[in-house]
Short mmCIF file of all heavy atoms in Angstrom, two decimals:
data_model
loop_
_atom_site.label_atom_id
_atom_site.label_comp_id
_atom_site.label_asym_id
_atom_site.label_seq_id
_atom_site.Cartn_x
_atom_site.Cartn_y
_atom_site.Cartn_z
N MET A 141 9.67 11.63 -7.62
CA MET A 141 10.32 10.92 -6.53
C MET A 141 11.23 9.86 -7.12
O MET A 141 10.90 9.23 -8.10
CB MET A 141 9.28 10.27 -5.64
CG MET A 141 8.62 11.22 -4.66
SD MET A 141 7.68 10.39 -3.41
CE MET A 141 6.14 10.17 -4.27
N GLY A 142 12.31 9.63 -6.44
CA GLY A 142 13.27 8.64 -6.89
C GLY A 142 12.97 7.26 -6.34
O GLY A 142 12.06 7.07 -5.51
N PRO A 143 13.76 6.29 -6.76
CA PRO A 143 13.55 4.91 -6.31
C PRO A 143 13.69 4.74 -4.80
O PRO A 143 12.96 3.94 -4.20
CB PRO A 143 14.63 4.12 -7.04
CG PRO A 143 15.04 4.97 -8.19
CD PRO A 143 14.78 6.38 -7.79
N LEU A 144 14.59 5.48 -4.19
CA LEU A 144 14.75 5.36 -2.74
C LEU A 144 13.50 5.84 -2.01
O LEU A 144 13.06 5.22 -1.03
CB LEU A 144 15.97 6.16 -2.28
CG LEU A 144 16.30 6.07 -0.79
CD1 LEU A 144 16.56 4.62 -0.40
CD2 LEU A 144 17.49 6.92 -0.45
N ALA A 145 12.89 6.90 -2.49
CA ALA A 145 11.65 7.40 -1.88
C ALA A 145 10.53 6.38 -2.02
O ALA A 145 9.75 6.17 -1.08
CB ALA A 145 11.24 8.73 -2.51
N TRP A 146 10.44 5.71 -3.17
CA TRP A 146 9.41 4.69 -3.35
C TRP A 146 9.63 3.51 -2.42
O TRP A 146 8.67 2.93 -1.90
CB TRP A 146 9.36 4.22 -4.80
CG TRP A 146 8.62 5.18 -5.67
CD1 TRP A 146 9.14 6.00 -6.62
CD2 TRP A 146 7.21 5.45 -5.63
NE1 TRP A 146 8.15 6.76 -7.17
CE2 TRP A 146 6.96 6.44 -6.59
CE3 TRP A 146 6.16 4.97 -4.88
CZ2 TRP A 146 5.69 6.95 -6.82
CZ3 TRP A 146 4.89 5.47 -5.11
CH2 TRP A 146 4.68 6.45 -6.07
N ILE A 147 10.89 3.14 -2.18
CA ILE A 147 11.18 2.04 -1.25
C ILE A 147 10.78 2.43 0.17
O ILE A 147 10.16 1.65 0.89
CB ILE A 147 12.67 1.65 -1.33
CG1 ILE A 147 12.94 0.99 -2.68
CG2 ILE A 147 13.05 0.72 -0.19
CD1 ILE A 147 14.40 0.74 -2.97
N VAL A 148 11.09 3.65 0.57
CA VAL A 148 10.72 4.12 1.91
C VAL A 148 9.20 4.18 2.04
O VAL A 148 8.63 3.72 3.04
CB VAL A 148 11.37 5.49 2.22
CG1 VAL A 148 10.82 6.08 3.49
CG2 VAL A 148 12.88 5.35 2.29
N ILE A 149 8.53 4.75 1.04
CA ILE A 149 7.07 4.80 1.07
C ILE A 149 6.49 3.39 1.09
O ILE A 149 5.56 3.11 1.85
CB ILE A 149 6.53 5.59 -0.14
CG1 ILE A 149 6.80 7.08 0.05
CG2 ILE A 149 5.02 5.36 -0.32
CD1 ILE A 149 6.44 7.92 -1.14
N GLY A 150 7.05 2.49 0.30
CA GLY A 150 6.58 1.10 0.29
C GLY A 150 6.73 0.43 1.63
O GLY A 150 5.83 -0.28 2.10
N LEU A 151 7.86 0.65 2.28
CA LEU A 151 8.09 0.05 3.59
C LEU A 151 7.10 0.58 4.62
O LEU A 151 6.48 -0.19 5.35
CB LEU A 151 9.52 0.34 4.05
CG LEU A 151 9.89 -0.14 5.45
CD1 LEU A 151 9.75 -1.65 5.53
CD2 LEU A 151 11.30 0.28 5.78
N ILE A 152 6.92 1.88 4.67
CA ILE A 152 6.00 2.48 5.64
C ILE A 152 4.56 2.07 5.34
O ILE A 152 3.81 1.69 6.24
CB ILE A 152 6.14 4.02 5.66
CG1 ILE A 152 7.54 4.41 6.14
CG2 ILE A 152 5.09 4.65 6.55
CD1 ILE A 152 7.86 5.87 5.96
N ALA A 153 4.17 2.12 4.06
CA ALA A 153 2.80 1.74 3.69
C ALA A 153 2.54 0.27 3.98
O ALA A 153 1.46 -0.09 4.47
CB ALA A 153 2.55 2.05 2.22
N GLY A 154 3.49 -0.60 3.68
CA GLY A 154 3.33 -2.03 3.97
C GLY A 154 3.19 -2.29 5.46
O GLY A 154 2.38 -3.11 5.89
N TRP A 155 3.99 -1.59 6.26
CA TRP A 155 3.92 -1.75 7.70
C TRP A 155 2.58 -1.26 8.24
O TRP A 155 1.94 -1.94 9.05
CB TRP A 155 5.08 -1.00 8.36
CG TRP A 155 5.06 -1.07 9.85
CD1 TRP A 155 5.48 -2.11 10.63
CD2 TRP A 155 4.57 -0.07 10.74
NE1 TRP A 155 5.29 -1.81 11.95
CE2 TRP A 155 4.73 -0.56 12.05
CE3 TRP A 155 4.03 1.19 10.56
CZ2 TRP A 155 4.36 0.17 13.17
CZ3 TRP A 155 3.66 1.92 11.68
CH2 TRP A 155 3.82 1.41 12.96
N LEU A 156 2.16 -0.07 7.79
CA LEU A 156 0.86 0.48 8.24
C LEU A 156 -0.29 -0.43 7.84
O LEU A 156 -1.20 -0.70 8.64
CB LEU A 156 0.64 1.87 7.65
CG LEU A 156 1.39 3.02 8.28
CD1 LEU A 156 1.22 4.28 7.45
CD2 LEU A 156 0.92 3.25 9.70
N ALA A 157 -0.27 -0.91 6.61
CA ALA A 157 -1.35 -1.78 6.13
C ALA A 157 -1.41 -3.08 6.92
O ALA A 157 -2.49 -3.57 7.26
CB ALA A 157 -1.18 -2.07 4.64
N ALA A 158 -0.24 -3.65 7.25
CA ALA A 158 -0.21 -4.88 8.04
C ALA A 158 -0.77 -4.65 9.44
O ALA A 158 -1.48 -5.50 9.97
CB ALA A 158 1.21 -5.42 8.11
N LYS A 159 -0.47 -3.49 10.02
CA LYS A 159 -0.99 -3.18 11.35
C LYS A 159 -2.51 -2.96 11.31
O LYS A 159 -3.23 -3.40 12.20
CB LYS A 159 -0.32 -1.92 11.93
CG LYS A 159 1.12 -2.10 12.26
CD LYS A 159 1.27 -3.07 13.40
CE LYS A 159 2.73 -3.23 13.76
NZ LYS A 159 2.93 -4.27 14.76
N ILE A 160 -2.99 -2.28 10.29
CA ILE A 160 -4.42 -1.96 10.19
C ILE A 160 -5.24 -3.22 9.91
O ILE A 160 -6.31 -3.40 10.48
CB ILE A 160 -4.66 -0.89 9.11
CG1 ILE A 160 -4.07 0.45 9.59
CG2 ILE A 160 -6.14 -0.74 8.79
CD1 ILE A 160 -4.03 1.52 8.53
N THR A 161 -4.74 -4.11 9.06
CA THR A 161 -5.52 -5.29 8.67
C THR A 161 -5.22 -6.52 9.53
O THR A 161 -5.83 -7.55 9.33
CB THR A 161 -5.24 -5.66 7.20
OG1 THR A 161 -3.86 -5.97 7.05
CG2 THR A 161 -5.65 -4.56 6.26
N ASP A 162 -4.30 -6.42 10.46
CA ASP A 162 -3.89 -7.56 11.29
C ASP A 162 -3.34 -8.71 10.45
O ASP A 162 -3.54 -9.87 10.77
CB ASP A 162 -5.05 -8.07 12.15
CG ASP A 162 -4.95 -7.57 13.58
OD1 ASP A 162 -3.91 -7.02 13.94
OD2 ASP A 162 -5.93 -7.76 14.33
N ALA A 163 -2.68 -8.37 9.37
CA ALA A 163 -2.07 -9.39 8.50
C ALA A 163 -0.84 -9.95 9.20
O ALA A 163 -0.23 -9.28 10.03
CB ALA A 163 -1.68 -8.77 7.16
N PRO A 164 -0.49 -11.19 8.88
CA PRO A 164 0.72 -11.77 9.49
C PRO A 164 1.94 -10.90 9.16
O PRO A 164 2.09 -10.43 8.04
CB PRO A 164 0.85 -13.14 8.85
CG PRO A 164 -0.41 -13.39 8.13
CD PRO A 164 -1.13 -12.10 7.97
N SER A 165 2.76 -10.72 10.15
CA SER A 165 3.93 -9.85 9.97
C SER A 165 4.99 -10.58 9.16
O SER A 165 5.44 -11.65 9.53
CB SER A 165 4.48 -9.44 11.33
OG SER A 165 5.56 -8.57 11.17
N GLY A 166 5.36 -10.00 8.04
CA GLY A 166 6.40 -10.56 7.21
C GLY A 166 7.70 -9.82 7.43
O GLY A 166 7.83 -8.98 8.32
N GLY A 167 8.66 -10.11 6.60
CA GLY A 167 9.95 -9.46 6.71
C GLY A 167 9.96 -8.12 6.00
O GLY A 167 8.95 -7.63 5.48
N LEU A 168 11.14 -7.55 5.98
CA LEU A 168 11.32 -6.23 5.39
C LEU A 168 10.97 -6.23 3.91
O LEU A 168 10.25 -5.35 3.43
CB LEU A 168 12.78 -5.80 5.59
CG LEU A 168 13.18 -4.45 5.03
CD1 LEU A 168 12.47 -3.35 5.81
CD2 LEU A 168 14.68 -4.27 5.11
N LEU A 169 11.43 -7.22 3.17
CA LEU A 169 11.15 -7.27 1.73
C LEU A 169 9.68 -7.46 1.43
O LEU A 169 9.15 -6.90 0.47
CB LEU A 169 11.99 -8.36 1.05
CG LEU A 169 13.49 -8.08 0.97
CD1 LEU A 169 14.21 -9.26 0.34
CD2 LEU A 169 13.76 -6.82 0.20
N SER A 170 8.99 -8.25 2.24
CA SER A 170 7.56 -8.46 1.99
C SER A 170 6.78 -7.18 2.27
O SER A 170 5.82 -6.87 1.55
CB SER A 170 7.01 -9.62 2.82
OG SER A 170 7.00 -9.30 4.19
N LYS A 171 7.17 -6.41 3.27
CA LYS A 171 6.50 -5.14 3.55
C LYS A 171 6.73 -4.15 2.42
O LYS A 171 5.82 -3.43 2.01
CB LYS A 171 6.97 -4.57 4.88
CG LYS A 171 6.39 -5.29 6.08
CD LYS A 171 6.78 -4.58 7.35
CE LYS A 171 6.15 -5.17 8.57
NZ LYS A 171 6.34 -6.57 8.79
N ILE A 172 7.96 -4.11 1.90
CA ILE A 172 8.25 -3.22 0.77
C ILE A 172 7.43 -3.65 -0.43
O ILE A 172 6.84 -2.81 -1.13
CB ILE A 172 9.76 -3.22 0.45
CG1 ILE A 172 10.53 -2.52 1.58
CG2 ILE A 172 10.03 -2.51 -0.87
CD1 ILE A 172 12.04 -2.64 1.44
N ALA A 173 7.36 -4.96 -0.69
CA ALA A 173 6.59 -5.46 -1.84
C ALA A 173 5.12 -5.11 -1.70
O ALA A 173 4.48 -4.66 -2.66
CB ALA A 173 6.79 -6.97 -1.99
N VAL A 174 4.56 -5.33 -0.51
CA VAL A 174 3.15 -5.01 -0.29
C VAL A 174 2.91 -3.52 -0.49
O VAL A 174 1.93 -3.10 -1.10
CB VAL A 174 2.69 -5.46 1.13
CG1 VAL A 174 1.36 -4.84 1.51
CG2 VAL A 174 2.61 -6.96 1.20
N GLY A 175 3.81 -2.70 0.02
CA GLY A 175 3.68 -1.25 -0.13
C GLY A 175 3.79 -0.80 -1.57
O GLY A 175 3.03 0.07 -2.03
N LEU A 176 4.72 -1.39 -2.33
CA LEU A 176 4.87 -1.01 -3.74
C LEU A 176 3.68 -1.49 -4.57
O LEU A 176 3.19 -0.75 -5.44
CB LEU A 176 6.18 -1.56 -4.30
CG LEU A 176 7.45 -0.94 -3.73
CD1 LEU A 176 8.69 -1.63 -4.28
CD2 LEU A 176 7.50 0.55 -3.98
N ILE A 177 3.19 -2.70 -4.31
CA ILE A 177 1.99 -3.18 -5.00
C ILE A 177 0.81 -2.29 -4.61
O ILE A 177 -0.02 -1.93 -5.45
CB ILE A 177 1.71 -4.65 -4.66
CG1 ILE A 177 2.78 -5.54 -5.28
CG2 ILE A 177 0.32 -5.08 -5.14
CD1 ILE A 177 2.77 -6.97 -4.79
N GLY A 178 0.75 -1.91 -3.34
CA GLY A 178 -0.31 -1.01 -2.88
C GLY A 178 -0.24 0.35 -3.55
O GLY A 178 -1.27 0.95 -3.87
N ALA A 179 0.97 0.84 -3.79
CA ALA A 179 1.12 2.13 -4.47
C ALA A 179 0.58 2.06 -5.89
O ALA A 179 -0.12 2.98 -6.34
CB ALA A 179 2.58 2.55 -4.48
N VAL A 180 0.87 0.97 -6.58
CA VAL A 180 0.36 0.80 -7.94
C VAL A 180 -1.16 0.67 -7.92
O VAL A 180 -1.87 1.32 -8.69
CB VAL A 180 1.01 -0.43 -8.62
CG1 VAL A 180 0.36 -0.74 -9.94
CG2 VAL A 180 2.51 -0.19 -8.80
N LEU A 181 -1.67 -0.18 -7.02
CA LEU A 181 -3.12 -0.40 -6.92
C LEU A 181 -3.83 0.89 -6.50
O LEU A 181 -4.84 1.27 -7.09
CB LEU A 181 -3.42 -1.51 -5.93
CG LEU A 181 -4.88 -1.85 -5.67
CD1 LEU A 181 -5.55 -2.32 -6.96
CD2 LEU A 181 -5.00 -2.92 -4.61
N GLY A 182 -3.29 1.58 -5.50
CA GLY A 182 -3.90 2.82 -5.05
C GLY A 182 -3.88 3.89 -6.13
O GLY A 182 -4.86 4.61 -6.33
N GLY A 183 -2.75 4.01 -6.83
CA GLY A 183 -2.66 4.98 -7.92
C GLY A 183 -3.65 4.69 -9.03
O GLY A 183 -4.29 5.60 -9.57
N PHE A 184 -3.81 3.40 -9.36
CA PHE A 184 -4.78 3.00 -10.39
C PHE A 184 -6.20 3.33 -9.96
O PHE A 184 -6.97 3.93 -10.71
CB PHE A 184 -4.64 1.50 -10.68
CG PHE A 184 -5.66 0.97 -11.63
CD1 PHE A 184 -5.54 1.19 -12.99
CD2 PHE A 184 -6.75 0.26 -11.18
CE1 PHE A 184 -6.48 0.71 -13.89
CE2 PHE A 184 -7.70 -0.24 -12.06
CZ PHE A 184 -7.57 -0.01 -13.41
N LEU A 185 -6.55 2.96 -8.72
CA LEU A 185 -7.91 3.22 -8.23
C LEU A 185 -8.20 4.71 -8.10
O LEU A 185 -9.28 5.16 -8.46
CB LEU A 185 -8.12 2.52 -6.88
CG LEU A 185 -8.22 1.01 -6.93
CD1 LEU A 185 -8.31 0.45 -5.52
CD2 LEU A 185 -9.41 0.58 -7.75
N PHE A 186 -7.24 5.46 -7.57
CA PHE A 186 -7.44 6.90 -7.43
C PHE A 186 -7.63 7.55 -8.79
O PHE A 186 -8.44 8.46 -8.94
CB PHE A 186 -6.27 7.54 -6.69
CG PHE A 186 -6.34 7.41 -5.18
CD1 PHE A 186 -7.01 6.37 -4.58
CD2 PHE A 186 -5.70 8.33 -4.38
CE1 PHE A 186 -7.07 6.25 -3.21
CE2 PHE A 186 -5.75 8.23 -3.00
CZ PHE A 186 -6.44 7.18 -2.41
N ASP A 187 -6.88 7.07 -9.79
CA ASP A 187 -7.01 7.61 -11.14
C ASP A 187 -8.39 7.29 -11.71
O ASP A 187 -9.05 8.15 -12.29
CB ASP A 187 -5.92 7.04 -12.04
CG ASP A 187 -5.96 7.62 -13.43
OD1 ASP A 187 -5.99 8.86 -13.56
OD2 ASP A 187 -5.96 6.83 -14.40
N LYS A 188 -8.85 6.05 -11.55
CA LYS A 188 -10.16 5.65 -12.08
C LYS A 188 -11.32 6.34 -11.36
O LYS A 188 -12.35 6.61 -11.96
CB LYS A 188 -10.35 4.13 -12.00
CG LYS A 188 -9.44 3.36 -12.92
CD LYS A 188 -9.73 3.72 -14.35
CE LYS A 188 -8.79 3.03 -15.29
NZ LYS A 188 -8.90 3.49 -16.66
N LEU A 189 -11.14 6.63 -10.07
CA LEU A 189 -12.18 7.30 -9.30
C LEU A 189 -12.05 8.81 -9.35
O LEU A 189 -12.82 9.53 -8.72
CB LEU A 189 -12.15 6.82 -7.84
CG LEU A 189 -12.47 5.35 -7.61
CD1 LEU A 189 -12.22 4.98 -6.16
CD2 LEU A 189 -13.89 5.04 -8.01
N ASP A 190 -11.06 9.29 -10.10
CA ASP A 190 -10.80 10.72 -10.27
C ASP A 190 -10.56 11.42 -8.93
O ASP A 190 -11.07 12.50 -8.65
CB ASP A 190 -11.93 11.40 -11.04
CG ASP A 190 -11.48 12.71 -11.67
OD1 ASP A 190 -10.27 12.86 -11.92
OD2 ASP A 190 -12.34 13.59 -11.89
N ILE A 191 -9.77 10.75 -8.07
CA ILE A 191 -9.38 11.31 -6.78
C ILE A 191 -7.94 11.77 -6.92
O ILE A 191 -7.08 11.03 -7.38
CB ILE A 191 -9.48 10.25 -5.66
CG1 ILE A 191 -10.92 9.76 -5.52
CG2 ILE A 191 -8.96 10.80 -4.35
CD1 ILE A 191 -11.07 8.59 -4.58
N SER A 192 -7.68 13.00 -6.52
CA SER A 192 -6.31 13.49 -6.59
C SER A 192 -5.80 13.80 -5.20
O SER A 192 -6.53 14.33 -4.35
CB SER A 192 -6.23 14.73 -7.49
OG SER A 192 -7.04 15.75 -6.96
N VAL A 193 -4.56 13.43 -4.97
CA VAL A 193 -3.89 13.75 -3.71
C VAL A 193 -2.70 14.63 -4.02
O VAL A 193 -2.26 14.72 -5.16
CB VAL A 193 -3.43 12.46 -2.97
CG1 VAL A 193 -4.61 11.65 -2.51
CG2 VAL A 193 -2.51 11.64 -3.83
N MET A 194 -2.19 15.28 -3.01
CA MET A 194 -1.06 16.17 -3.24
C MET A 194 0.15 15.36 -3.69
O MET A 194 0.42 14.27 -3.17
CB MET A 194 -0.75 16.97 -1.99
CG MET A 194 -0.44 16.15 -0.77
SD MET A 194 -0.27 17.20 0.65
CE MET A 194 -1.01 16.17 1.87
N PRO A 195 0.86 15.85 -4.69
CA PRO A 195 2.02 15.12 -5.22
C PRO A 195 3.25 15.32 -4.32
O PRO A 195 4.16 16.06 -4.65
CB PRO A 195 2.23 15.74 -6.60
CG PRO A 195 1.70 17.12 -6.47
CD PRO A 195 0.58 17.04 -5.47
N SER A 196 3.23 14.67 -3.17
CA SER A 196 4.32 14.80 -2.22
C SER A 196 4.54 13.45 -1.54
O SER A 196 3.87 12.47 -1.85
CB SER A 196 3.97 15.86 -1.17
OG SER A 196 2.86 15.44 -0.41
N PHE A 197 5.45 13.42 -0.61
CA PHE A 197 5.72 12.20 0.14
C PHE A 197 4.46 11.74 0.87
O PHE A 197 4.11 10.57 0.83
CB PHE A 197 6.86 12.44 1.14
CG PHE A 197 7.26 11.22 1.91
CD1 PHE A 197 8.16 10.32 1.36
CD2 PHE A 197 6.75 10.98 3.16
CE1 PHE A 197 8.53 9.18 2.06
CE2 PHE A 197 7.10 9.85 3.86
CZ PHE A 197 8.01 8.95 3.32
N LEU A 198 3.78 12.67 1.51
CA LEU A 198 2.57 12.33 2.26
C LEU A 198 1.46 11.84 1.34
O LEU A 198 0.77 10.86 1.65
CB LEU A 198 2.08 13.54 3.08
CG LEU A 198 0.88 13.30 3.98
CD1 LEU A 198 1.18 12.21 5.00
CD2 LEU A 198 0.48 14.58 4.68
N GLY A 199 1.29 12.48 0.20
CA GLY A 199 0.28 12.03 -0.76
C GLY A 199 0.58 10.64 -1.28
O GLY A 199 -0.31 9.80 -1.41
N GLY A 200 1.84 10.38 -1.58
CA GLY A 200 2.24 9.04 -2.02
C GLY A 200 2.03 8.01 -0.93
O GLY A 200 1.62 6.87 -1.20
N LEU A 201 2.31 8.40 0.31
CA LEU A 201 2.13 7.48 1.43
C LEU A 201 0.66 7.13 1.64
O LEU A 201 0.31 5.97 1.86
CB LEU A 201 2.72 8.07 2.70
CG LEU A 201 2.67 7.21 3.95
CD1 LEU A 201 3.44 5.92 3.73
CD2 LEU A 201 3.24 7.97 5.13
N VAL A 202 -0.21 8.12 1.55
CA VAL A 202 -1.65 7.87 1.69
C VAL A 202 -2.14 6.95 0.58
O VAL A 202 -2.85 5.97 0.83
CB VAL A 202 -2.43 9.21 1.70
CG1 VAL A 202 -3.92 8.98 1.56
CG2 VAL A 202 -2.14 10.00 2.96
N THR A 203 -1.75 7.24 -0.64
CA THR A 203 -2.16 6.42 -1.79
C THR A 203 -1.66 4.99 -1.64
O THR A 203 -2.41 4.03 -1.83
CB THR A 203 -1.64 7.03 -3.10
OG1 THR A 203 -2.11 8.37 -3.21
CG2 THR A 203 -2.09 6.23 -4.30
N ALA A 204 -0.38 4.84 -1.30
CA ALA A 204 0.21 3.51 -1.17
C ALA A 204 -0.40 2.74 -0.01
O ALA A 204 -0.65 1.53 -0.12
CB ALA A 204 1.71 3.62 -0.99
N THR A 205 -0.69 3.41 1.09
CA THR A 205 -1.27 2.73 2.25
C THR A 205 -2.68 2.24 1.96
O THR A 205 -3.03 1.10 2.28
CB THR A 205 -1.26 3.65 3.49
OG1 THR A 205 0.08 4.07 3.75
CG2 THR A 205 -1.81 2.95 4.70
N ILE A 206 -3.49 3.07 1.34
CA ILE A 206 -4.86 2.64 0.99
C ILE A 206 -4.81 1.47 0.00
O ILE A 206 -5.53 0.49 0.15
CB ILE A 206 -5.67 3.83 0.43
CG1 ILE A 206 -5.94 4.82 1.56
CG2 ILE A 206 -6.97 3.36 -0.22
CD1 ILE A 206 -6.56 6.12 1.12
N GLY A 207 -3.95 1.56 -0.99
CA GLY A 207 -3.80 0.46 -1.94
C GLY A 207 -3.29 -0.81 -1.27
O GLY A 207 -3.75 -1.91 -1.57
N ALA A 208 -2.34 -0.68 -0.34
CA ALA A 208 -1.79 -1.84 0.35
C ALA A 208 -2.84 -2.49 1.25
O ALA A 208 -2.90 -3.72 1.36
CB ALA A 208 -0.57 -1.43 1.17
N ILE A 209 -3.67 -1.68 1.89
CA ILE A 209 -4.75 -2.23 2.71
C ILE A 209 -5.71 -3.03 1.84
O ILE A 209 -6.09 -4.16 2.18
CB ILE A 209 -5.50 -1.11 3.46
CG1 ILE A 209 -4.62 -0.51 4.55
CG2 ILE A 209 -6.81 -1.62 4.06
CD1 ILE A 209 -5.16 0.76 5.16
N LEU A 210 -6.10 -2.48 0.70
CA LEU A 210 -6.98 -3.21 -0.21
C LEU A 210 -6.32 -4.49 -0.70
O LEU A 210 -6.96 -5.54 -0.77
CB LEU A 210 -7.36 -2.32 -1.40
CG LEU A 210 -8.30 -1.16 -1.08
CD1 LEU A 210 -8.46 -0.26 -2.31
CD2 LEU A 210 -9.65 -1.68 -0.63
N PHE A 211 -5.04 -4.41 -1.03
CA PHE A 211 -4.31 -5.59 -1.50
C PHE A 211 -4.28 -6.68 -0.43
O PHE A 211 -4.55 -7.86 -0.72
CB PHE A 211 -2.89 -5.21 -1.91
CG PHE A 211 -2.02 -6.37 -2.27
CD1 PHE A 211 -2.27 -7.11 -3.41
CD2 PHE A 211 -0.95 -6.74 -1.47
CE1 PHE A 211 -1.48 -8.20 -3.75
CE2 PHE A 211 -0.16 -7.82 -1.79
CZ PHE A 211 -0.42 -8.55 -2.93
N LEU A 212 -3.99 -6.31 0.82
CA LEU A 212 -3.95 -7.31 1.89
C LEU A 212 -5.33 -7.90 2.17
O LEU A 212 -5.44 -9.10 2.46
CB LEU A 212 -3.36 -6.70 3.16
CG LEU A 212 -1.85 -6.45 3.13
CD1 LEU A 212 -1.41 -5.74 4.41
CD2 LEU A 212 -1.09 -7.74 2.95
N LEU A 213 -6.37 -7.08 2.10
CA LEU A 213 -7.72 -7.61 2.31
C LEU A 213 -8.10 -8.60 1.21
O LEU A 213 -8.68 -9.65 1.49
CB LEU A 213 -8.73 -6.46 2.38
CG LEU A 213 -8.64 -5.58 3.62
CD1 LEU A 213 -9.60 -4.40 3.51
CD2 LEU A 213 -8.90 -6.38 4.88
N ILE A 214 -7.77 -8.28 -0.02
CA ILE A 214 -8.04 -9.19 -1.15
C ILE A 214 -7.23 -10.48 -0.96
O ILE A 214 -7.74 -11.59 -1.16
CB ILE A 214 -7.75 -8.52 -2.50
CG1 ILE A 214 -8.75 -7.41 -2.75
CG2 ILE A 214 -7.74 -9.53 -3.63
CD1 ILE A 214 -8.39 -6.50 -3.91
N LEU A 215 -5.97 -10.35 -0.57
CA LEU A 215 -5.11 -11.51 -0.35
C LEU A 215 -5.66 -12.41 0.75
O LEU A 215 -5.67 -13.64 0.62
CB LEU A 215 -3.70 -11.04 -0.03
CG LEU A 215 -2.60 -12.07 -0.04
CD1 LEU A 215 -2.44 -12.65 -1.44
CD2 LEU A 215 -1.29 -11.45 0.42
N GLN A 216 -6.17 -11.81 1.83
CA GLN A 216 -6.76 -12.60 2.91
C GLN A 216 -8.02 -13.33 2.43
O GLN A 216 -8.25 -14.48 2.81
CB GLN A 216 -7.08 -11.71 4.10
CG GLN A 216 -5.88 -11.29 4.88
CD GLN A 216 -6.20 -10.34 6.02
OE1 GLN A 216 -7.35 -9.91 6.18
NE2 GLN A 216 -5.21 -9.98 6.81
N LEU A 217 -8.83 -12.68 1.61
CA LEU A 217 -10.04 -13.33 1.08
C LEU A 217 -9.68 -14.50 0.17
O LEU A 217 -10.32 -15.56 0.22
CB LEU A 217 -10.89 -12.32 0.30
CG LEU A 217 -11.62 -11.28 1.14
CD1 LEU A 217 -12.30 -10.25 0.23
CD2 LEU A 217 -12.65 -11.95 2.04
N VAL A 218 -8.66 -14.35 -0.64
CA VAL A 218 -8.23 -15.43 -1.54
C VAL A 218 -7.68 -16.59 -0.74
O VAL A 218 -7.95 -17.75 -1.04
CB VAL A 218 -7.20 -14.90 -2.55
CG1 VAL A 218 -6.53 -16.03 -3.32
CG2 VAL A 218 -7.85 -13.91 -3.51
N ARG A 219 -6.92 -16.32 0.30
CA ARG A 219 -6.33 -17.39 1.11
C ARG A 219 -7.40 -18.16 1.87
O ARG A 219 -7.24 -19.36 2.13
CB ARG A 219 -5.34 -16.82 2.10
CG ARG A 219 -4.04 -16.43 1.44
CD ARG A 219 -3.04 -15.95 2.45
NE ARG A 219 -1.79 -15.61 1.79
CZ ARG A 219 -0.82 -14.97 2.37
NH1 ARG A 219 -0.92 -14.60 3.63
NH2 ARG A 219 0.28 -14.70 1.70
N ARG A 220 -8.49 -17.50 2.25
CA ARG A 220 -9.58 -18.18 2.98
C ARG A 220 -10.41 -19.07 2.07
O ARG A 220 -11.03 -20.01 2.52
CB ARG A 220 -10.49 -17.16 3.65
CG ARG A 220 -9.85 -16.52 4.83
CD ARG A 220 -10.82 -15.59 5.51
NE ARG A 220 -10.11 -14.83 6.55
CZ ARG A 220 -10.60 -13.76 7.10
NH1 ARG A 220 -11.78 -13.31 6.76
NH2 ARG A 220 -9.91 -13.13 8.03
N ALA A 221 -10.47 -18.73 0.79
CA ALA A 221 -11.32 -19.48 -0.14
C ALA A 221 -10.74 -20.81 -0.53
O ALA A 221 -9.69 -21.20 -0.34
CB ALA A 221 -11.54 -18.64 -1.40
#
């Protein structure tokens, strides 16, 4: 996948994660950042847990969304402490 696909996946994953976790709604760049960080975190966790997803747009979106949800939950816990 190219950089444009990662940006689109990041945007969608960041938006989905914000809706699922009830995180404060940020701007476009913050959603892309959350989604891209989520993609890295999700990819790392899936690799360590030996979970494989289909290497497609949908597989990348699932991985990025799960990672973004975990990232936002961790961020909320840190902000509360």
Side-chain angles (χ1 to χ4, degrees):
M141 281 192 275
L144 183 59
W146 280 109
I147 291 171
V148 171
I149 287 174
L151 176 61
I152 296 170
W155 178 79
L156 283 172
K159 292 294 181 186
I160 291 170
T161 61
D162 259 349
S165 182
L168 180 67
L169 290 177
S170 68
K171 285 186 176 55
I172 291 172
V174 166
L176 292 176
I177 291 168
V180 171
L181 179 61
F184 175 77
L185 289 175
F186 278 27
D187 183 51
K188 292 298 177 189
L189 296 172
D190 201 25
I191 299 172
S192 61
V193 293
M194 58 186 143
S196 65
F197 183 84
L198 184 60
L201 183 61
V202 168
T203 303
T205 303
I206 291 172
I209 290 169
L210 290 173
F211 174 69
L212 287 175
L213 290 175
I214 292 168
L215 192 63
Q216 286 177 355
L217 288 173
V218 169
R219 285 184 179 169
R220 287 184 188 165

